[in-house]
Amino acid sequence: MTEESKTGQPQIDPAVSVVGPGDGETIVLGTTRMRVLEDGSHTGHRLAIAESVLAPHTQGPPQHRHARHDEGFYILSGTVRFTVGDEDHDATAGTLVMVPPGTPHTFANVSDQPAVMLSTFTPDLYVQYFRDLQKVLAGGRLLTPQANIDTMSRYATEPATEPADPATDLT
């Protein structure tokens, strides 16, 4: 017998997650403000989603590649420059950029206007990376490229100075 048939009232599935406009975990990384909408705790760690606001002239992380997760970026407003290997792609509102494991990439807002993007991490492995970066800053340390790379290394991610060789095992 279901809970609904016992009580006569419909039951709300406890696995459903609703994150309102002012809700979610906020992570501030310099001039970037991230709002974690789903950290993987409601998806069996298969998917995480975050909204990021990049201030004008905000540089992103060092170019890097992930070994274990796909990363997606949907541009909600503004323009975000994605660098993939040695190619630049300026993504404007309505553009989706999907980065599979092993692909070198970085991003930046090189414009005079803020940019907002929705990011996905499949699986959710990378959300903790952003939390760890925030701890670096909260501890009074500078977020240097080396500090960023050291933190990345804990999440199956490495710096990329050249395009990935498909024959290379990154795991």
Side-chain angles (χ1 to χ4, degrees):
M1 180 176 265
T2 66
E3 285 299 313
E4 182 174 348
S5 61
K6 283 188 218 175
T7 65
Q9 299 293 318
Q11 298 296 308
I12 297 173
D13 181 352
V16 171
S17 172
V18 177
V19 180
D23 298 337
E25 173 187 359
T26 300
I27 298 174
V28 178
L29 301 171
T31 59
T32 298
R33 182 172 189 216
M34 174 181 278
R35 183 168 65 112
V36 178
L37 303 170
E38 171 57 51
D39 67 358
S41 60
H42 296 94
T43 65
H45 302 284
R46 294 179 307 274
L47 170 69
I49 302 171
E51 174 189 69
S52 295
V53 179
L54 304 161
H57 306 287
T58 295
Q59 293 302 308
Q63 192 161 178
H64 59 281
R65 58 173 63 98
H66 306 290
R68 296 188 198 153
H69 73 275
D70 295 273
E71 196 168 24
F73 304 90
Y74 182 74
I75 310 308
L76 297 170
S77 66
T79 302
V80 179
R81 175 166 293 159
F82 288 87
T83 302
V84 181
D86 60 0
E87 293 182 27
D88 289 332
H89 304 273
D90 286 343
T92 57
T95 302
L96 175 67
V97 176
M98 288 301 303
V99 180
T103 303
H105 66 285
T106 189
F107 57 87
N109 179 359
V110 296
S111 78
D112 293 329
Q113 300 297 317
V116 181
M117 63 184 180
L118 194 64
S119 300
T120 60
F121 313 98
T122 311
D124 70 340
L125 177 67
Y126 221 50
V127 172
Q128 189 60 44
Y129 158 77
F130 297 109
R131 290 172 176 151
D132 287 356
L133 287 182
Q134 183 171 250
K135 287 179 187 173
V136 167
L137 292 168
R141 295 176 302 208
L142 293 176
L143 192 53
T144 63
Q146 189 59 51
N148 204 324
I149 289 166
D150 291 345
T151 305
M152 283 179 180
S153 70
R154 295 194 297 264
Y155 300 99
T157 300
E158 64 184 18
T161 55
E162 58 189 38
D165 177 357
T168 302
D169 179 14
L170 296 172
T171 57

